[in-house]
Amino acid sequence: MSEQTSPQITAASWLMVASLGLVWGGTFMVQKLALEHLPPLWVAAGRIGFAALITTVIWQMRGGGMFRSEERDWGRLIWVSMLSAAVPFMFLAWAQQYVTSAFTGVSMAAVALIVLPLAHFLVPGERMTLRRTLGFLIGFAGVLVLIGPAAFASSGSPLEGWGQLACLSAAACYAVSSILMRRLPPLDPVGLSATTLLFGAALVIPLAALQHGMPPMPSAEGLAIVAVLGLVPTAAAGLLRILVIRTAGPVFMSLTNYQVPLWSVVFGVTVMGEPLPGSLIWATLLILSGVALSQYGALRRLFFPRGG
C-alpha cells in the first residue's frame, strides 16, 4: 500500500478495532492467571515466542515474501519491528517494577494523543482538525475518569520518575511505530507481523533468562494459558493491528487505546468478581462521545453512505 493512499475506514475497520479493544482488554485477566505459573518476563517471553513461532510458520507457508513492489525499505521495516514490540516490551517490563498499574494504563491511553500530531505532519489524509482533537481529548478524559485518583497516586519508589518516563517512552514507541508502519511500501502483512514478533522474541527471551534464570516447567494448564496469550492477543491481534494501520491509518487504530482500560474493568467485574467502579458509566459515555466526535466523518459514511 502506498504511503500516499488516504485512510480507508470501512465497517471492517470498525469491527477490527472493536475486536482489538475487546481482546487486549481481556489480556490483563489472562496474564494474571499466567503469572501464577511463571515469573513475569517468562510470561512475556513465552507469549511472544509462541506468537513468533506460529506467525513465522504461517508466513513461510505463504511463501515467505515481504515487499510486494520494487520499492524496498528494510531500514524502516527494522525500526517498525523494534518499536512495535521489542523496545516497548523492555521499557514496560522495567517500568512496572516502580510505577502503579493505573499510571501504566493512562500512559497507554496517551498513545492516541501522541499519534494525533505525528500523523498530522507525517501521514497524508490524517490532519489534526479541531473536532478530531476535541474528540481525542474527551476520550482521554474518559480514561482518567475510569481510573480515578489512582492515575496520579505515587508508588513510593525512588525510581518512580524514571519508571513513568519509561512508560511514556513505550507509549511513544507504539505511536511512532504506527506512523512508520503506515508509511512502509506495499508488503505482506503476515511477514511484517512475523518480523515484529521475531525481533521482540530476540530481546525478551534473553532478558527473561538474565532476570529469572531458566524457567520452571509449568503445568499443562500454565502452558495452555501462555499459548492462548501467544495465539490470540499477540499473534492474531498483532496481525489485526497491522491491517488496521495499513488500511484505516494510525489515528483510527489509536482508538483501541481508549477501549482497553474500559474492557479491562468490565472483565474484572464480570469474570474476576472485582467491585464495580462508580465511574464506569460516566467513563464509557465520555469515551464513546470522544470516539464519535473524532470519527464523525467515518461514522457518517458508514451509516449514511449516500449522503456522506
Side-chain angles (χ1 to χ4, degrees):
M1 177 174 299
S2 170
E3 66 182 61
Q4 302 303 320
T5 304
S6 297
Q8 301 297 315
I9 301 173
T10 65
S13 306
W14 285 100
L15 181 59
M16 286 190 285
V17 160
S19 299
L20 285 170
L22 178 66
V23 168
W24 282 336
T27 300
F28 298 109
M29 177 182 65
V30 181
Q31 193 155 272
K32 187 174 181 179
L33 297 174
L35 289 171
E36 297 176 3
H37 300 269
L38 288 168
L41 285 185
W42 276 118
V43 170
R47 170 184 173 180
I48 197 169
F50 181 80
L53 176 63
I54 293 296
T55 309
T56 301
V57 169
I58 295 173
W59 178 35
Q60 293 304 310
M61 290 174 62
R62 288 164 48 91
M66 181 63 76
F67 293 103
R68 291 178 169 174
S69 70
E70 295 301 316
E71 186 179 359
R72 301 285 189 270
D73 197 340
W74 285 103
R76 184 175 294 172
L77 176 61
I78 292 172
W79 274 110
V80 168
S81 300
M82 295 298 290
L83 295 178
S84 290
V87 176
F89 270 35
M90 178 178 63
F91 281 151
L92 289 173
W94 182 83
Q96 287 185 295
Q97 301 173 93
Y98 310 112
V99 302
T100 63
S101 57
F103 182 84
T104 306
V106 169
S107 64
M108 291 301 99
V111 171
L113 300 182
I114 300 172
V115 163
L116 197 59
L118 290 176
H120 175 82
F121 293 106
L122 299 174
V123 181
E126 295 277 32
R127 296 193 61 80
M128 192 171 66
T129 63
L130 177 61
R131 182 173 62 198
R132 175 177 280 185
T133 304
L134 285 175
F136 275 85
L137 290 173
I138 291 170
F140 186 72
V143 174
L144 292 179
V145 168
L146 179 66
I147 295 174
F152 306 102
S154 173
S155 68
S157 169
L159 292 176
E160 181 178 23
W162 289 106
Q164 291 174 337
L165 179 60
C167 283
L168 293 174
S169 297
C173 286
Y174 287 128
V176 172
S177 70
S178 294
I179 301 296
L180 293 177
M181 187 182 295
R182 174 67 183 175
R183 292 175 60 85
L184 282 168
L187 46 67
D188 179 57
V190 180
L192 177 56
S193 181
T195 304
T196 299
L197 292 167
L198 287 169
F199 271 106
L203 177 69
V204 177
I205 292 174
L207 279 178
L210 287 173
Q211 179 70 24
H212 303 300
M214 294 307 295
M217 184 62 189
S219 64
E221 179 185 1
L223 286 173
I225 292 171
V226 172
V228 168
L229 281 172
L231 182 62
V232 181
T234 310
L239 180 58
L240 277 185
R241 174 180 180 259
I242 288 170
L243 292 174
V244 171
I245 291 172
R246 297 287 288 169
T247 56
V251 171
F252 185 77
M253 172 63 211
S254 69
L255 296 176
T256 307
N257 296 92
Y258 292 155
Q259 298 179 62
V260 171
L262 190 64
W263 280 114
S264 180
V265 169
V266 169
F267 280 120
V269 171
T270 57
V271 180
M272 306 298 285
E274 297 174 357
L276 177 68
S279 59
L280 180 60
I281 294 176
W282 289 110
T284 303
L285 289 174
L286 281 171
I287 290 171
L288 292 179
S289 298
V291 170
L293 184 61
S294 66
Q295 300 298 320
Y296 172 76
L299 285 168
R300 186 180 61 183
R301 289 190 296 272
L302 178 65
F303 292 106
F304 305 102
R306 293 184 180 178

